[in-house]
Amino acid sequence: MDTPRIPTRRIACWTGMTLIAMLSSFSSPASLTAQEPQWIWAAEQNAGNPVGTVFFRRAFNLKGGQSAKIQITCDDSYTLLVNGVRIGAGQDWRTPQEYDLTKHLQEGVNAVCVSAVKREKGPAGMVARLTIVTRDGREYDLSTDHRWRSSVQRFNGWEQASFNDRRWQTAKVLGPIDKTEPWVVKPAEPSGEPKQQIAEGSPKFRVMREFRVEWLVKGEDCGSLLAMTFNEFGHVIASKEGGGLILIRDVDGDGRFDRVSPYCNEVKNCQGILALNGEAFVTGDGPDGPGLYRLTDNDHDGRIDDVTTLIKFKNTVTEHGAHGVVLGPDGLLYVVLGNHTTINGEVSDSGPYRNFYEGDLVQPRYQDPTGHGANLKAPGGMVIRTNLDGTKIERVAGGLRNPYDIAFNSFGELFTADADMERDHGLPWYRPTRTLALQPGGEYGWRPGWAKWPTYFFDSLPAMIDTGAGSPTGLAFYDHFAFPIRHQNTLFVGDWARGQILQLTPRTNGAGYESDSQVFVEGTPLSVTDLEVGPDGALYFCSGGRGTEGGIYRVVWTGKVPPAVSDLGAGIEQALRQPQLGAAWARQRVAKIQHELGDQWEAELTKLVQDTTLDPKQRLRALDLMQLFGPFPSQALLVDLSQDRDGLLRAKAAYMMGLHPGKETAERLPEMLADSDPFVQRIACESHVRRGLT
């Protein structure tokens, strides 16, 4: 590792940057003799056609650091990381940016890393001035030069301080900041005005073929956003970083949002939002501190006037606090908590996750040397559920680190994406970011330091898929028809650190799930925080967090949906084919259909469930409608369905037997433990626990 040795001065902050001011801001005062930052690129890349991504690193040992700043730009774009943490990004070489790195440095080895992208033919380069001041006043210059290392190949963990980059090549030095073509500032025109230079532009996002990204709400209109959802009327409720909630509406009905207004200022920093029955349930900092709150707009004027505390939490780290909140298929609220969060109240012992323990470990126990997560005990991060008034709280699953969101698929199975511990990278107990199918009572083995349960532990449930280093955020299951069929019934997962939205395709594997993944959207930058499927079938996402640029976007398919697909029919058929049943706007539409059908609602649904000639998916949807909107299926009907030829129908019957116990189902449920389908066996076991039959 390099030790800082070259003294320099900190450079003034760039503000109001112009093309000429860029070079003057990079330059040191004349009295200093420090070498100017050098434009660099990868030595092994074709200079005539440098299209692609180059990875740069500058590792150094730090003892007693006081402050650190970096000024950086790149042709075309860059993403800056320090010790695995994403700091920022830029996409215009004429507009350098400055970042304060002080709070991201650590005693010992550090690494400043840059992912640089060139999309068009032509010269490519990255330049940065990195200055560090120690506590004794000494100043060091680590600006871009031959001491930086580069690679055109992405290695797992390349952005971590612990990564060994000695096999990487030294960066190719192209020349100093103020003398290297084509980035030299041209003389001013005779008029005195600087000559305008147009750089080759590049789209902010790379999206899968046949899709495009549309920018709907700009950062100056909404601020940095942490979470979003659609309410019953298709309006967006979003939360601002450091602020309250805002309501975003399409007033003129042209498909574009045109009005942003305050919605609630009493609860701030909301990282989970659920619209339900005309109200909103949020996790955030409210009148009683961190908690789950119910927000009510009594006079329907688009502004919350009543805030009710449902559950109080204790947080030691805000970003590892209470996150996503969703409505479960059982009608309960499900909330996911980070590993620095505890419940300030009574938790019922009737929940499925109740017998958690640390594990037997060789002592002394090795914790994180920086103290993060040290001495935290099981269950760590977990999922809880509660009724709509918060009077009964149950633990559902645990042993998680810091999942940000949860989502149910169309069958009612719960999924999340859990973050890795970046400082563990390269150590035997490192666990990558992973997507999990959360089973009631499931233990997923997170413990601090080396105490994590390995995946081969019999009582530690496996991941559906590992996705490497990252910082997962919002989740959304796509149960709409506006995307082609190959994108339906898939799970979209946002990753803030990697600037990506991944598309996963879960499929059953015995009693659990497995999946593959592919990048659906990638941005430079893309600080995605939450995802939602809108009434139009587009995938919406918001951005922000840690002071990054906010905004709301949507991903649309560029093809045309056939009329036969988009026509939902009439009557009960509309309810059966209604997409995104878990969304507030979808439930509103179904409630209207139920009201219009009146007494026919129950009769038609019962008939559909019993019709063995129908597609099992239609019968499953009819059961979901009876569960969410009533009336609940009779005991006799559930017993009959438990013997159906279709395994998913038998599993759904077993699930519903656990929700409303009865004598007939109590006799049938034990028999289902011997079902030929392991998935049905698991659901039957879970229903036994829920009924208290264990």
Side-chain angles (χ1 to χ4, degrees):
M1 298 297 175
D2 296 314
T3 301
R5 295 187 183 278
I6 303 178
T8 186
R9 287 187 186 172
R10 284 168 288 175
I11 304 302
C13 179
W14 301 339
T15 56
M17 185 63 62
T18 65
L19 190 57
I20 289 181
M22 182 195 77
L23 296 182
S24 61
S25 291
F26 257 117
S27 300
S28 301
S31 60
L32 292 182
T33 59
Q35 176 179 305
E36 292 304 314
Q38 308 288 301
W39 287 96
I40 61 174
W41 203 246
E44 63 265 46
Q45 198 168 44
N46 184 345
N49 184 24
V51 175
T53 302
V54 175
F55 303 94
F56 294 102
R57 281 176 52 90
R58 183 69 161 91
F60 55 93
N61 236 318
L62 185 63
K63 295 182 179 180
Q66 178 180 351
S67 64
K69 290 185 179 181
I70 190 171
Q71 297 164 299
I72 182 172
T73 191
C74 181
D75 185 359
D76 288 324
S77 62
Y78 71 89
T79 299
L80 172 67
L81 305 99
V82 175
N83 296 333
V85 178
R86 183 179 184 276
I87 305 301
Q91 57 181 348
D92 182 359
W93 71 267
R94 296 168 301 174
T95 309
Q97 293 174 289
E98 178 172 312
Y99 303 93
D100 188 339
L101 309 182
T102 305
K103 66 180 181 180
H104 301 288
L105 297 181
Q106 59 193 13
E107 194 83 5
V109 179
N110 292 264
V112 174
C113 305
V114 179
S115 172
V117 178
K118 182 68 177 180
R119 296 185 185 84
E120 306 288 343
K121 291 184 179 180
M126 189 274 291
V127 63
R129 180 184 292 281
L130 173 59
T131 57
I132 296 175
V133 180
T134 60
R135 291 193 181 96
D136 58 7
R138 288 183 294 176
E139 302 180 2
Y140 297 101
D141 179 9
L142 302 180
S143 298
T144 47
D145 59 14
H146 65 279
R147 294 172 297 177
W148 284 63
R149 294 184 176 271
S150 67
S151 172
V152 295
Q153 180 181 352
R154 183 187 183 116
F155 291 84
N156 192 24
W158 73 277
E159 72 278 20
Q160 304 295 331
S162 58
F163 180 77
N164 187 346
D165 60 14
R166 293 194 180 277
R167 294 187 179 181
W168 283 27
Q169 295 193 27
T170 56
K172 179 180 180 181
V173 175
L174 306 176
I177 176 75
D178 58 345
K179 299 177 181 178
T180 307
E181 293 285 353
W183 303 289
V184 177
V185 178
K186 304 301 181 182
E189 292 293 288
S191 64
E193 295 296 325
K195 183 177 180 180
Q196 186 178 13
Q197 294 185 359
I198 305 298
E200 288 290 327
S202 59
K204 183 174 182 178
F205 301 110
R206 295 176 296 283
V207 63
M208 195 173 287
R209 184 182 176 187
E210 298 182 345
F211 290 87
R212 71 171 182 269
V213 179
E214 299 177 345
W215 195 357
L216 301 180
V217 183
K218 296 185 177 181
E220 56 263 31
D221 297 323
C222 64
S224 176
L225 299 180
L226 301 178
M228 64 171 287
T229 195
F230 285 92
N231 67 9
E232 288 81 359
F233 309 104
H235 305 150
V236 169
I237 304 172
S239 63
K240 301 178 67 173
E241 181 181 19
L245 295 160
I246 55 177
L247 188 64
I248 305 173
R249 291 174 284 182
D250 173 16
V251 177
D252 58 12
D254 65 350
R256 295 276 180 174
F257 296 120
D258 47 30
R259 182 173 300 176
V260 179
S261 59
Y263 187 60
C264 175
N265 290 324
E266 289 73 30
V267 188
K268 302 181 184 299
N269 287 314
C270 298
Q271 297 183 15
I273 312 171
L274 169 68
L276 178 63
N277 300 332
E279 299 178 313
F281 294 81
V282 301
T283 57
D285 297 323
D288 288 322
L292 173 66
Y293 292 89
R294 181 175 65 233
L295 313 180
T296 307
D297 176 11
N298 291 308
D299 55 9
H300 306 292
D301 65 347
R303 187 77 179 259
I304 293 298
D305 44 41
D306 185 39
V307 177
T308 303
T309 306
L310 301 184
I311 302 176
K312 298 179 183 179
F313 301 115
K314 295 179 181 179
N315 296 347
T316 56
V317 177
T318 303
E319 289 189 355
H320 289 241
H323 299 312
V325 51
V326 300
L327 178 68
D330 51 10
L332 300 179
L333 304 179
Y334 284 70
V335 185
V336 63
L337 311 178
N339 59 345
H340 285 254
T341 306
T342 56
I343 300 169
N344 188 4
E346 183 179 352
V347 179
S348 173
D349 60 4
S350 62
Y353 185 68
R354 53 183 88 149
N355 299 318
F356 48 86
Y357 74 107
E358 282 294 293
D360 300 321
L361 301 169
V362 175
Q363 300 296 331
R365 185 165 170 174
Y366 183 81
Q367 305 275 9
D368 187 298
T370 66
H372 181 82
N375 301 316
L376 293 177
K377 303 296 183 182
M382 59 182 170
V383 174
I384 63 173
R385 65 188 179 202
T386 183
N387 49 13
L388 297 187
D389 56 10
T391 55
K392 184 178 181 180
I393 307 170
E394 294 180 332
R395 297 184 182 93
V396 178
L400 306 170
R401 182 176 182 263
N402 190 34
Y404 192 80
D405 202 3
I406 46 179
F408 285 95
N409 68 2
S410 59
F411 184 80
E413 294 273 88
L414 185 61
F415 294 77
T416 193
D418 197 13
D420 66 340
M421 174 55 172
E422 58 273 12
R423 297 189 186 98
D424 287 345
H425 203 281
L427 298 173
W429 52 87
Y430 172 74
R431 297 200 316 186
T433 296
R434 53 197 193 140
T435 304
L436 307 166
L438 295 174
Q439 299 176 11
E443 168 61 65
Y444 295 90
W446 178 87
R447 302 293 187 270
W450 70 357
K452 296 177 183 64
W453 294 12
T455 55
Y456 56 76
F457 273 21
F458 183 76
D459 44 0
S460 180
L461 296 180
M464 181 174 72
I465 185 174
D466 291 341
T467 54
S471 181
T473 49
L475 275 71
F477 262 102
Y478 193 85
D479 188 29
H480 210 286
F481 50 74
F483 285 2
I485 193 168
R486 62 183 178 276
H487 298 282
Q488 297 174 18
N489 301 311
T490 59
L491 174 63
F492 290 102
V493 181
D495 193 307
W496 192 91
R498 298 170 67 173
Q500 295 176 338
I501 298 175
L502 300 178
Q503 183 180 30
L504 277 62
T505 308
R507 50 188 177 271
T508 56
N509 179 23
Y513 290 84
E514 62 182 7
S515 179
D516 51 20
S517 72
Q518 54 186 332
V519 176
F520 187 65
V521 181
E522 188 170 25
T524 51
L526 174 52
S527 51
V528 56
T529 50
D530 205 1
L531 307 173
E532 287 287 331
V533 179
D536 58 355
L539 179 67
Y540 288 71
F541 64 89
C542 61
S543 65
R546 296 187 180 180
T548 56
E549 182 183 44
I552 293 181
Y553 307 80
R554 68 180 170 196
V555 187
V556 298
W557 183 48
T558 57
K560 182 176 177 59
V561 179
V565 174
S566 57
D567 183 5
L568 299 183
I572 198 67
E573 185 181 2
Q574 281 184 296
L576 288 175
R577 300 189 62 196
Q578 175 60 51
Q580 301 295 141
L581 188 59
W585 53 267
R587 295 193 301 269
Q588 178 84 349
R589 294 175 180 178
V590 174
K592 181 180 178 181
I593 297 169
Q594 182 185 28
H595 177 75
E596 293 172 348
L597 290 176
D599 294 340
Q600 298 179 32
W601 171 266
E602 178 181 4
E604 292 201 33
L605 285 179
T606 302
K607 181 180 178 180
L608 289 167
V609 170
Q610 294 174 323
D611 190 348
T612 58
T613 65
L614 289 178
D615 185 333
K617 292 181 180 179
Q618 292 181 293
R619 300 171 68 193
L620 286 168
R621 173 52 64 88
L623 283 172
D624 289 333
L625 294 173
M626 296 179 80
Q627 160 61 18
L628 286 175
F629 297 88
F632 195 80
S634 67
Q635 298 284 302
L637 179 56
L638 291 179
V639 171
D640 185 50
L641 290 173
S642 71
Q643 302 171 74
D644 196 272
R645 291 178 300 176
D646 186 80
L648 287 179
L649 276 165
R650 298 198 304 274
K652 178 66 76 172
Y655 173 79
M656 300 183 86
M657 288 178 183
L659 299 181
H660 297 274
K663 182 179 179 180
E664 295 177 65
T665 55
E667 295 175 354
R668 171 59 183 155
L669 195 55
E671 299 172 356
M672 301 187 72
L673 297 174
D675 193 278
S676 59
D677 189 332
F679 186 73
V680 177
Q681 294 177 22
R682 173 171 71 80
I683 302 298
C685 286
E686 294 169 2
S687 289
H688 266 73
V689 174
R690 192 155 198 167
R691 294 175 64 132
L693 298 179
T694 57

